[in-house]
Amino acid sequence: MESKKEDVRRKHIHLHMEGALTARDKVGVQDFVLLDAYTSESAFVDNLRKRFNENLIYTYIGTLLVSVNPYQELGIYTVSQMELYQGVNFFELPPHVYAIADNAYRMMCSELNNHFILISGESGAGKTEASKKILQYFAVTCPMTQSLQIARDRLLLSNPVLEGIPVGGHIISYLIEKSRVVYQNQGERNFHIFYQLLAGGEEERLAFLGLERDPQLYKYLSQGHCAKESSINDKNDWKTVSNAFSVIDFTEADLENLFGIIASVLHLGNIGFEEDDQGCATIPDTHEIKWIAKLLGVHSADLLEALTHRKIEAKTEEVICPLTLELSVYARDAMAKAVYGRTFTWLVNKINSSLVNKDFTRKTVIGLLDIYGFEVFDKNGFEQFCINYCNEKLQQLLIERTLKAEQAEYEMEGIEWEPIKYFNNKIICDLVEERHKGIISILDEECIRPGPATDLSFLEKLEEKVGKHAHFETRKLAGPKGRKRIGWMEFRLLHYAGEVTYCTKGFLEKNNDLLYRHLKEVLCKSKNVILRECFLRAELENRRRPPTVGTQFKNSLSSLLEILISKEPSYIRCIKPNDRKEPSKFDDFLIRHQIKYLGLMEHLRVRRAGFAYRRKYEHFLQRYKSLCPDTWPHWHGPPAEGVERLINYMGYKPEEYKLGKTKIFIRFPRTLFATEDALEFCKHQLVARIQATYKSCLGRREYVKKRQAAIKLEAHWRGALARKAIQRRKWAVRIIRKFIKGFISRNKPLCPDNEEFIVFVRKNYILNLRYHLPKTVLDKSWLRPPGILENASDLLRKMCVRNLVQKYCRGITAERKAMMQQKVVTSEIFRGRKDGYTESLNQPFANSRINEGDINPKVLQLISHEKIQYGVPVIKYDRKGFKARQRQLILTQKAAYVVELAKIKQKIEYSALKGVSTSNLRDGILVIHVSPEDKQKGDAVLQCGHMFEAVTKLVMLVKKENIVNVVQGSLQFFISPGKEGTIVFDTGPEEQIYKNKNGQLTVVSVRRKS
């Protein structure tokens, strides 16, 4: 009988194991190693999406943590969460950054090993936030003394001050992107401190530094065309930075010197050079030079000479040679990069001195490395080459350490090691860094060799030296298909994460990064204390050429890897789900791109090459012992025998598992899932049986106690309620009587009878008023006051209106004011006269609809004497056949140009402009009329997608009144002397532009209901 029951129970378990696997489809698996289709990128992305949709942003790949930025607060970083993960086994709780931090800390304390946590990912993926959460976890959970508390606060606050890399209680900067100081790509900002200083700095400080708040006024801040970004509040960030400076022990003198250097960099960018008759550079306006000299404490004449001349030392004499315009610009930019870069190093050292741990009894550390992930842009330069080389080295380290850890665990458990095939990217690392043969060595040789070295000659040298390498390709070396995708100045490397094409333009200049000796001499004489520490006079005595940027980076990376190799690793890979930083939006294409360049699939393949799951016998038996009658409720023998008895009862097949010395290894995730589902099924049965017995016992016992207690409580409680009711009634009568007296005497002078009533009325009115305050200047509503508060209400109303007016006025920026002025001009011209004007009100005007890069260089050369004020793509209709042609309309200070590729098809000087005509309909047609005396060409017939904007810009440049004519029905335009054309405007079901039978241009617009 018992045997039959056991067979039925075992059958139910196996049925449940097979049928309940689909329940896991809702939220995915919390460890990618448990994916059945672990080689499928689609399965990887699908699992990531499921967890992201359930706000589960963390997932493991073994001990590696994958983090997806949610772009919203999830409430998973509380102190209670920190306490939950403290001291818990790594896989016992769901994946979390706290689990990584706690595991690193426990390993450091128990094994006395140094540890590091490497965090990588793209910008916006949440690397900095992950670093902060780890630091906050250590700050809350680690033992704390007063000195450690101070160091903790300084370390947490140093992040806003530095764009560096915090490592425990010591900060190391491995690569500061100095080129960003003088140049930014489209959509990229300079370092935050510049914008924060301009937005949040006090008026007195800005005046002392000679700065204005508008970042567009400074060349070094406006090249990326995103000086202001909606997601960044520079003014608030300035307050955080100021607070951080005070905590990190910066004196007022330090700050004055530091901000003087930062301001001098902005002034440097605004220095303008001109070429004299001999082709030498001059600085016509020395206004910026004087400010720089004042802020850096140098002589303005010396600085002026150093920026336009170069000192060449012969054996017995010095010769000062003038610089060309190009070399002077290079010298200016090199000075800005050197000053900013060395000041940053000084700042790191200054902060480190405030973080020094004076307790030398503990020797172990946890390093925290926040590094940018693989970079692949449309145009990749020297910076991307360095960053991707760094990621190659770190990927090599990750794979080697993972394989080493796997092999060590197998050997320790006595399980046969099966060699794993993987892509060894050492061949790519050698291609970049090999001595005398690598790309960096070839670049250094090209930088120091005599003769005219150029970026093109460097590319030719690469083709000569490494052209036969399997992972290197140029346009010259590529096949017919690949040749189309590589430019003449580009080379391509096949990285571990895929192909990346690099443009060699600027490689030599950025690798050299030389500061002329003449400028060094000036900076060494600076009275600015910080600058004097950064530029030592001993430097001038050293005649050796400084190492190149590439060599410095390679050496710095080598020292970093030496540090990492000596420590136990943990890894966090950060992923951004979308480019717009929107919560709950999952961009599959972007995610796949990051998975590829973070090397996650390769890492998963290495982790899954053996067994998907391993667990100590004690833990495995403790969790699943209820599935076997022999092990439930207690197993008194060795854990290994108990586990073997359990898996035999469960029906594990030999190929599904291996038994080690201390652990069980399960090969397939489905085996583990089946065991877990069986446990869930058994739990319900066991719990129901235990609960039934226990509850009946407790119920009988509690019933007797409660019945006796209830009788006694009822008697006492009734008496207490009666006494309490009497007291409340007496109190209510007293209060009501007092308020009736107060109401009767409310208009009398303040006295004890009406004092409380008047106070109550005042308080009640003020409390109600806060919910009825007007929201805007135009809102005239106001809560009606009681008679005794009419004067106070009037005063409050005036204060409120004044505050709303001030708030509205402060919100209007200079840029918006200029745009509103343009909108006023548009209103004067088109309001009530042309369809579509109302819809255009909410559309902001742009400075230009064409970038300079979109204009042919030949055209730019032809109009180089005039400044381009506005440009927009247009369609030009021939005056005779009305054939549509794509053109560009470019407005300068003196004339309007109609441009076709590299030709100026028509120049219309504003003095010869007779007027502008457009219809009253919704079309984009405008006709620029010229005087018949203009012998070149007739009127220009154009169609523009931004007609209101283009006409407004033209009117403001021409500065003539009443030149815009809004016509109805048709208009005449001048073709040639004695010959005119006609444009007919009409409405219809769809927009059309065609030549009618009468030879007239007919423009059909759709009239929409207003």
Side-chain angles (χ1 to χ4, degrees):
M1 190 68 178
E2 290 295 327
S3 176
K4 283 187 177 180
K5 287 183 179 179
E6 190 57 42
D7 289 341
V8 172
R9 180 173 178 267
R10 182 180 294 190
K11 185 178 180 181
H12 275 295
I13 289 175
H14 282 285
L15 284 173
H16 192 70
M17 288 168 64
E18 297 297 328
L21 290 177
T22 54
R24 215 160 270 103
D25 291 341
K26 295 180 181 178
V27 296
V29 294
Q30 64 184 23
D31 192 335
F32 285 109
V33 174
L34 299 179
L35 281 175
D36 268 334
Y38 68 94
T39 58
S40 167
E41 186 180 278
S42 297
F44 192 101
V45 174
D46 185 55
N47 189 70
L48 208 60
R49 186 191 304 105
K50 289 176 184 175
R51 296 182 63 76
F52 180 77
N53 291 338
E54 297 294 328
N55 287 331
L56 301 172
I57 63 171
Y58 294 119
T59 314
Y60 290 135
I61 305 179
T63 56
L64 181 146
L65 181 69
V66 179
S67 170
V68 183
N69 195 337
Y71 296 125
Q72 60 179 322
E73 284 294 332
L74 299 179
I76 58 174
Y77 303 107
T78 60
V79 175
S80 60
Q81 282 282 321
M82 295 181 187
E83 293 171 350
L84 184 65
Y85 279 86
Q86 191 172 1
V88 177
N89 187 280
F90 188 74
F91 291 106
E92 284 188 21
L93 292 174
H96 202 292
V97 70
Y98 291 160
I100 295 288
D102 183 73
N103 187 57
Y105 180 71
R106 284 190 296 107
M107 286 181 64
M108 181 191 73
C109 294
S110 61
E111 301 178 11
L112 296 179
N113 286 339
N114 293 328
H115 205 97
F116 76 87
I117 302 173
L118 191 150
I119 307 171
S120 63
E122 292 189 9
S123 177
K127 302 188 300 299
T128 304
E129 280 301 312
S131 303
K132 288 179 182 177
K133 300 306 178 189
I134 291 173
L135 289 173
Q136 288 167 0
Y137 179 83
F138 290 146
V140 171
T141 60
C142 297
M144 192 62 58
T145 63
Q146 185 175 358
S147 59
L148 288 177
Q149 178 79 21
I150 295 171
R152 182 198 76 170
D153 294 341
R154 290 174 177 173
L155 184 60
L156 291 174
L157 284 170
S158 64
N159 198 54
V161 176
L162 295 177
E163 295 172 13
I165 305 149
V167 183
H170 185 77
I171 297 170
I172 305 172
S173 171
Y174 285 99
L175 173 65
I176 176 172
E177 194 181 347
K178 291 191 293 185
S179 61
R180 188 191 288 189
V181 175
V182 300
Y183 177 76
Q184 304 90 46
N185 292 317
Q186 182 72 24
E188 184 180 54
R189 298 210 325 165
N190 207 319
F191 291 103
H192 296 316
I193 188 63
F194 295 114
Y195 306 98
Q196 292 167 357
L197 175 60
L198 297 181
E202 302 83 357
E203 293 292 345
E204 297 80 5
R205 189 185 295 280
L206 294 182
F208 174 77
L209 299 174
L211 299 178
E212 297 184 35
R213 293 205 181 274
D214 186 3
Q216 299 290 349
L217 299 175
Y218 302 98
K219 180 185 175 184
Y220 283 167
L221 302 185
S222 57
Q223 297 173 90
H225 301 290
C226 66
K228 292 183 179 179
E229 193 170 321
S230 59
S231 61
I232 298 176
N233 191 328
D234 293 315
K235 194 169 184 179
N236 287 347
D237 291 345
W238 171 256
K239 295 177 182 177
T240 306
V241 170
S242 300
N243 182 38
F245 276 127
S246 63
V247 173
I248 306 172
D249 283 346
F250 273 73
T251 64
E252 190 59 38
D254 288 336
L255 294 178
E256 185 176 317
N257 289 323
L258 181 61
F259 293 139
I261 293 173
I262 293 171
S264 69
V265 172
L266 296 180
H267 287 299
L268 267 171
N270 283 4
I271 293 177
F273 296 95
E274 291 185 1
E275 199 171 46
D276 62 11
D277 298 336
Q278 286 77 35
C280 301
T282 62
I283 302 176
D285 185 0
T286 59
H287 174 73
E288 304 290 352
I289 293 287
K290 291 175 182 176
W291 272 110
I292 298 169
K294 173 195 169 186
L295 296 171
L296 299 184
V298 299
H299 292 293
S300 57
D302 294 344
L303 179 61
L304 182 66
E305 183 184 55
L307 286 172
T308 55
H309 294 74
R310 184 178 180 183
K311 185 181 290 186
I312 301 175
E313 295 187 357
K315 292 183 179 179
T316 57
E317 60 181 351
E318 292 182 345
V319 179
I320 296 180
C321 300
L323 296 176
T324 62
L325 185 65
E326 184 179 350
L327 288 176
S328 288
V329 172
Y330 171 81
R332 177 199 66 189
D333 292 346
M335 177 180 171
K337 290 187 287 185
V339 166
Y340 189 88
R342 297 198 188 192
T343 304
F344 181 85
T345 303
W346 175 90
L347 191 57
V348 171
N349 296 332
K350 173 77 174 176
I351 294 175
N352 280 336
S353 66
S354 72
L355 297 175
V356 171
N357 182 9
K358 297 174 183 175
D359 180 10
F360 299 102
T361 57
R362 301 300 297 270
K363 302 295 184 183
T364 53
V365 297
I366 295 177
L368 192 59
L369 179 62
D370 176 350
I371 191 164
Y372 202 88
F374 222 87
E375 284 191 341
V376 185
F377 300 140
D378 294 334
K379 287 289 184 181
N380 302 290
F382 182 71
E383 295 81 7
Q384 285 70 46
F385 173 76
C386 290
I387 288 172
N388 293 346
Y389 161 52
C390 174
N391 277 275
E392 282 285 359
K393 296 292 286 184
L394 292 175
Q395 175 70 6
Q396 183 184 22
L397 176 68
L398 168 62
I399 297 297
E400 288 178 354
R401 294 295 288 267
T402 303
L403 283 172
K404 183 179 178 182
E406 286 283 289
Q407 189 171 2
E409 186 173 21
Y410 279 45
E411 290 175 357
M412 189 183 301
E413 293 295 324
I415 294 177
E416 184 181 355
W417 171 254
E418 302 171 3
I420 298 173
K421 293 183 180 180
Y422 70 98
F423 174 65
N424 189 348
N425 64 341
K426 183 178 183 299
I427 186 173
I428 303 172
C429 297
D430 290 343
L431 171 62
V432 175
E433 68 183 5
E434 190 174 5
R435 195 172 182 184
H436 303 307
K437 298 179 182 179
I439 294 176
I440 292 178
S441 295
I442 296 170
L443 178 60
D444 287 352
E445 289 176 13
E446 198 66 11
C447 286
I448 62 176
R449 77 171 176 85
T454 63
D455 295 321
L456 185 59
S457 67
F458 162 61
L459 184 62
E460 291 170 352
K461 186 65 68 71
L462 286 179
E463 291 173 339
E464 177 187 338
K465 293 286 185 72
V466 298
K468 296 181 180 179
H469 198 285
H471 294 78
F472 177 85
E473 201 174 40
T474 64
R475 185 183 180 96
K476 180 180 177 182
L477 302 174
K481 293 182 179 179
R483 191 172 296 157
K484 297 178 181 179
R485 297 183 292 129
I486 306 177
W488 289 109
M489 291 290 290
E490 295 176 343
F491 67 91
R492 176 177 294 162
L493 294 183
L494 180 58
H495 289 281
Y496 76 88
E499 296 177 347
V500 181
T501 303
Y502 300 98
C503 179
T504 58
K505 187 175 181 181
F507 260 57
L508 266 64
E509 178 186 336
K510 292 175 182 177
N511 189 48
N512 269 324
D513 199 21
L514 289 176
L515 183 66
Y516 292 144
R517 181 180 179 82
H518 203 163
L519 277 170
K520 278 187 182 178
E521 290 178 354
V522 173
L523 295 174
C524 286
K525 297 175 185 177
S526 170
K527 295 178 183 177
N528 186 300
V529 177
I530 297 176
L531 212 58
R532 207 161 53 235
E533 292 181 24
C534 295
F535 292 88
L536 302 176
R537 291 184 180 274
E539 248 185 276
L540 300 175
E541 300 172 5
N542 185 3
R543 302 292 179 176
R544 295 183 62 184
R545 180 186 178 92
T548 61
V549 172
T551 300
Q552 289 180 45
F553 182 70
K554 184 175 77 170
N555 296 337
S556 180
L557 181 58
S558 177
S559 65
L560 171 62
L561 289 174
E562 287 178 9
I563 294 172
L564 298 184
I565 290 170
S566 66
K567 294 174 172 56
E568 292 297 321
S570 291
Y571 303 96
I572 301 176
R573 294 290 188 260
C574 297
I575 293 176
K576 62 178 180 181
N578 60 80
D579 278 325
R580 296 184 178 180
K581 300 182 179 180
E582 296 178 3
S584 305
K585 184 176 181 182
F586 192 91
D587 186 339
D588 278 39
F589 180 79
L590 181 64
I591 298 288
R592 288 176 185 271
H593 173 85
Q594 293 172 85
I595 289 171
K596 176 181 178 182
Y597 287 105
L598 288 172
L600 297 182
M601 293 301 297
E602 181 72 11
H603 183 74
L604 174 58
R605 200 174 63 79
V606 171
R607 288 287 306 190
R608 267 298 302 273
F611 294 88
Y613 178 82
R614 66 283 314 262
R615 195 76 159 159
K616 284 188 176 292
Y617 289 134
E618 295 86 351
H619 297 153
F620 188 85
L621 186 60
Q622 179 64 29
R623 181 166 183 81
Y624 300 113
K625 63 182 180 180
S626 61
L627 297 178
C628 175
D630 296 339
T631 56
W632 177 258
H634 301 291
W635 171 257
H636 299 288
E641 292 182 12
V643 170
E644 190 170 4
R645 188 80 60 88
L646 171 62
I647 61 178
N648 287 335
Y649 179 81
M650 295 288 295
Y652 278 25
K653 297 177 182 178
E655 66 271 14
E656 292 181 333
Y657 72 96
K658 289 283 186 183
L659 295 177
K661 294 178 181 178
T662 64
K663 295 180 181 179
I664 177 174
F665 289 74
I666 297 177
R667 187 178 297 276
F668 305 115
R670 60 177 179 270
T671 307
L672 177 65
F673 294 157
T675 307
E676 190 67 28
D677 292 337
L679 175 64
E680 288 298 314
F681 178 78
C682 283
K683 276 181 183 178
H684 293 294
Q685 292 182 323
L686 291 171
V687 169
R689 189 181 303 170
I690 293 170
Q691 282 180 342
T693 305
Y694 186 64
K695 285 179 180 178
S696 64
C697 177
L698 286 180
R700 283 190 298 271
R701 190 182 302 166
E702 287 297 314
Y703 172 73
V704 174
K705 287 183 180 180
K706 287 178 181 178
R707 189 172 182 276
Q708 293 174 350
I711 294 171
K712 188 178 290 185
L713 282 172
E714 282 175 355
H716 287 280
W717 184 243
R718 288 191 189 99
L721 286 178
R723 288 189 293 273
K724 194 173 182 180
I726 291 173
Q727 294 297 326
R728 287 183 60 81
R729 287 193 185 109
K730 288 181 180 179
W731 173 82
V733 168
R734 201 163 50 247
I735 294 299
I736 292 170
R737 186 178 295 159
K738 187 183 293 185
F739 269 80
I740 290 173
K741 283 185 179 180
F743 179 76
I744 294 171
S745 59
R746 66 186 182 279
N747 294 323
K748 295 180 182 179
L750 195 65
C751 63
D753 288 340
N754 63 8
E755 183 178 4
E756 287 192 22
F757 177 80
I758 291 175
V759 169
F760 171 78
V761 170
R762 286 175 181 169
K763 180 180 177 181
N764 195 42
Y765 176 70
I766 294 298
L767 290 175
N768 287 334
L769 181 60
R770 63 178 176 170
Y771 298 113
H772 298 84
L773 290 173
K775 304 297 182 184
T776 64
V777 178
L778 300 177
D779 187 357
K780 302 300 182 183
S781 63
W782 190 258
L783 186 65
R784 183 177 178 181
I788 58 176
L789 293 177
E790 287 182 352
N791 291 335
S793 175
D794 291 341
L795 291 173
L796 288 172
R797 187 172 187 175
K798 291 177 181 177
M799 290 169 62
C800 180
V801 171
R802 190 176 303 155
N803 182 53
L804 288 173
V805 170
Q806 289 177 349
K807 184 177 179 181
Y808 179 79
C809 292
R810 283 197 301 267
I812 299 177
T813 62
E815 183 179 353
R816 179 169 172 78
K817 182 178 178 182
M819 190 179 74
M820 289 172 71
Q821 290 173 343
Q822 294 178 13
K823 288 285 186 178
V824 169
V825 174
T826 309
S827 174
E828 293 173 353
I829 298 172
F830 295 108
R831 187 174 66 178
R833 302 174 66 190
K834 183 171 178 66
D835 289 352
Y837 167 73
T838 306
E839 290 88 335
S840 74
L841 291 175
N842 293 328
Q843 300 172 0
F845 285 175
N847 292 332
S848 180
R849 298 290 176 176
I850 300 176
N851 296 324
E852 281 201 15
D854 299 331
I855 304 174
N856 193 284
K858 290 184 179 180
V859 175
L860 288 175
Q861 188 175 3
L862 290 171
I863 63 174
S864 60
H865 60 284
E866 300 182 47
K867 185 176 179 181
I868 296 175
Q869 301 295 324
Y870 178 74
V872 64
V874 296
I875 298 174
K876 179 181 179 295
Y877 291 92
D878 292 348
R879 284 175 287 274
K880 296 181 179 179
F882 298 123
K883 186 173 182 180
R885 302 179 187 276
Q886 293 289 338
R887 297 288 188 266
Q888 293 176 339
L889 175 63
I890 298 174
L891 305 181
T892 67
Q893 293 171 329
K894 298 180 179 179
Y897 295 88
V898 179
V899 175
E900 174 194 7
L901 297 178
K903 297 180 181 179
I904 296 177
K905 300 298 291 183
Q906 185 172 1
K907 176 182 178 181
I908 304 172
E909 294 187 357
Y910 296 149
S911 57
L913 191 144
K914 186 178 179 183
V916 179
S917 294
T918 181
S919 77
N920 66 325
L921 299 178
R922 200 176 286 269
D923 56 77
I925 297 293
L926 65 135
V927 178
I928 302 177
H929 301 285
V930 297
S931 299
E933 290 78 11
D934 185 2
K935 298 178 181 179
Q936 295 182 6
K937 296 183 178 179
D939 296 345
V941 181
L942 307 174
Q943 183 184 14
C944 178
H946 303 278
M947 201 275 297
F948 292 104
E949 180 180 283
V951 172
T952 302
K953 300 278 188 180
L954 180 60
V955 168
M956 295 182 74
L957 288 170
V958 173
K959 298 178 182 177
K960 292 182 180 178
E961 295 183 357
N962 303 323
I963 65 167
V964 179
N965 183 26
V966 181
V967 302
Q968 296 183 6
S970 65
L971 66 82
Q972 306 293 321
F973 64 93
F974 170 68
I975 298 177
S976 60
K979 188 173 183 181
E980 290 186 342
T982 303
I983 301 176
V984 178
F985 299 98
D986 200 355
T987 58
E990 60 179 1
E991 295 181 354
Q992 297 182 63
I993 299 178
Y994 60 91
K995 181 179 178 182
N996 63 19
K997 296 179 181 179
N998 298 327
Q1000 299 171 333
L1001 180 64
T1002 301
V1003 180
V1004 181
S1005 303
V1006 178
R1007 183 179 291 277
R1008 299 175 187 169
K1009 295 181 180 179
S1010 58

